[in-house]
Amino acid sequence: MEAGLLRARLERHPREQLAHLPTPLQPMPRLTAALGGPPLWVKRDDCTGLATGGNKTRKLEFLMGAARAAGADAVITFGALQSNHARQTAAAAAALGLGCDLILVDSVPYREPAYTVSGNLLLDDLLGARVHRVADESAAAQTLAQLLASARAEDRAPYVIPIGGSSAIGALGYVGCALELAEQIEAISLEVGSIVHATSSTGTQAGLAVGLSAVAPGLGVCGVNVYARDAARQAAELRQRCDETAALLDVEPPADAALVVDSDHLGPGYGVPTPATLEALELVARHEGILLDPVYTGKAMAALIAAVRAGRLPRDRAVVFVHTGGSVGLFAYREAIAKRSPA
Ligand SMILES: *Cc1c(COP(=O)(O)O)cnc(C)c1O
């Protein structure tokens, strides 16, 4: 379909302006030369601008639009202790004058002193969010029930945002990114072989897949799973999220074959950087002056680097890495980064 038509359908949904858009699409010439493979490009969604930016800001434009349209005066959301989503939600709430409760589950096995106080947690507090630290999912559900009950008693109804902002409404933000990226690629006639990004709660990939399959079906996306032990369950979530997001826009959902996920780089699990993650952080920092993060983009870049080294990617077509943000998390992994094995 015409990009303009999809854009018009996207614009029917309530939206708050929070992000600095469009984010740049730029080449990574020194990283490309160092690896000796296809031309590597980066879509700078780490530069969305909201309290250090990241991919949740695009989702929050639509989520906060929906919260406002519902008359909510506060939002509640979830994440790990070092959730980038929680930090961007706290910032969006502050910017819009809404209350913000963050229910943060302390379940990532990685541990060093900075992890429980610095990085995103430091900013959540600075941004004025109320942080509720809980041990597990059932404690999170209990805390949510309590918050909703006390809001009800005051005749208030906060807007509840799922983990990662990954409802279909949140995924609309990445349909917008797909439109933006397709236009940038076309403007410079870039021959793109693949688009790679870190995937966890699947909203980013769903939005990209729905948007690209509608306006640029030649552009394929590969999500690098940095989160789910149960890849089949994550695949089912991605399928459902795509269908719901496509329905909101009245477009054809992407085919199953367009939903590609690479689960070979998760290592010990979510939030635990592998040696390859730490190597990717250093390579990209030293060749491009770009900061990745230890939880998401470092792992996704490690997957891309492995594919280049193995010669699995055609050398005459560019790869676009979608940088989804998260560099604030570097400060929570100080010891891991200081001890990283030399590249
Ligand atoms: C949340 C997040 C992702 C994953 O996005 P999903 O939509 O949850 O799959 C990737 N990178 C960073 C830095 C994130 O914070």
Side-chain angles (χ1 to χ4, degrees):
M1 75 193 286
E2 282 292 315
L5 182 55
L6 183 57
R7 185 165 287 117
R9 292 196 190 166
L10 202 55
E11 278 164 13
R12 285 189 209 149
H13 293 270
R15 182 172 185 171
E16 295 291 336
Q17 206 263 307
L18 296 167
H20 298 177
L21 303 178
T23 60
L25 171 67
Q26 64 188 66
M28 296 192 283
R30 287 193 8 92
L31 184 65
T32 300
L35 293 172
L40 302 178
W41 288 65
V42 58
K43 173 69 171 160
R44 298 295 303 272
D45 266 23
D46 57 321
C47 299
T48 52
L50 182 67
T52 75
N55 63 337
K56 304 314 181 303
T57 302
R58 287 187 192 266
K59 300 179 183 182
L60 285 161
E61 289 201 331
F62 289 94
L63 292 163
M64 290 302 192
R68 277 258 170 105
D73 67 349
V75 295
I76 303 175
T77 198
F78 311 88
L81 285 189
Q82 286 298 333
S83 167
N84 300 304
H85 163 65
R87 180 250 312 157
Q88 286 163 87
T89 303
L96 298 171
L98 302 175
C100 179
D101 284 278
L102 303 176
I103 303 174
L104 303 183
V105 183
D106 187 359
S107 57
V108 168
Y110 180 83
R111 200 43 42 116
E112 66 168 83
Y115 186 86
T116 56
V117 292
S118 186
N120 284 292
L121 275 170
L122 177 71
L123 300 190
D124 295 341
D125 180 54
L126 184 62
L127 291 161
R130 280 179 300 275
V131 172
H132 311 268
R133 295 190 193 205
V134 298
D136 54 31
E137 295 300 327
S138 80
Q142 252 175 33
T143 303
L144 174 64
Q146 283 161 7
L147 290 171
L148 289 176
S150 52
R152 237 183 343 262
E154 297 165 15
D155 216 19
R156 296 172 37 244
Y159 185 82
V160 179
I161 298 174
I163 191 157
S166 283
S167 60
I169 288 174
L172 293 175
Y174 269 83
V175 175
C177 180
L179 283 165
E180 194 180 292
L181 182 56
E183 193 176 315
Q184 287 171 323
I185 286 170
E186 201 188 309
I188 56 172
S189 304
L190 191 66
E191 289 287 330
V192 173
S194 53
I195 298 168
V196 177
H197 70 93
T199 187
S200 63
S201 66
T202 75
T204 301
Q205 188 165 5
L208 287 173
V210 167
L212 291 173
S213 75
V215 303
L219 293 174
V221 183
C222 174
V224 179
N225 174 15
V226 301
Y227 178 74
R229 287 240 150 275
D230 186 345
R233 185 169 153 199
Q234 187 188 45
E237 277 175 20
L238 175 59
R239 179 71 262 168
Q240 186 184 345
R241 199 92 65 226
C242 285
D243 293 345
E244 291 167 357
T245 306
L248 284 182
L249 296 165
D250 202 14
V251 298
E252 278 297 309
D256 280 341
L259 306 183
V260 179
V261 177
D262 172 358
S263 283
D264 292 343
H265 298 269
L266 182 57
Y270 174 74
V272 184
T274 61
T277 311
L278 300 172
E279 192 220 353
L281 289 180
E282 183 178 294
L283 262 180
V284 176
R286 295 188 180 188
H287 288 87
E288 298 294 340
I290 291 175
L291 301 175
L292 299 177
D293 86 286
V295 177
Y296 297 92
T297 53
K299 243 174 217 179
M301 181 58 82
L304 173 54
I305 290 169
V308 172
R309 286 184 177 150
R312 285 202 299 273
L313 302 168
R315 291 191 57 150
D316 57 344
R317 305 199 127 227
V319 178
V320 176
F321 182 80
V322 182
H323 188 339
T324 44
S327 63
V328 166
L330 290 169
F331 301 101
Y333 286 79
R334 194 193 70 80
E335 288 179 7
I337 292 159
K339 284 198 298 244
R340 75 193 178 281
S341 39

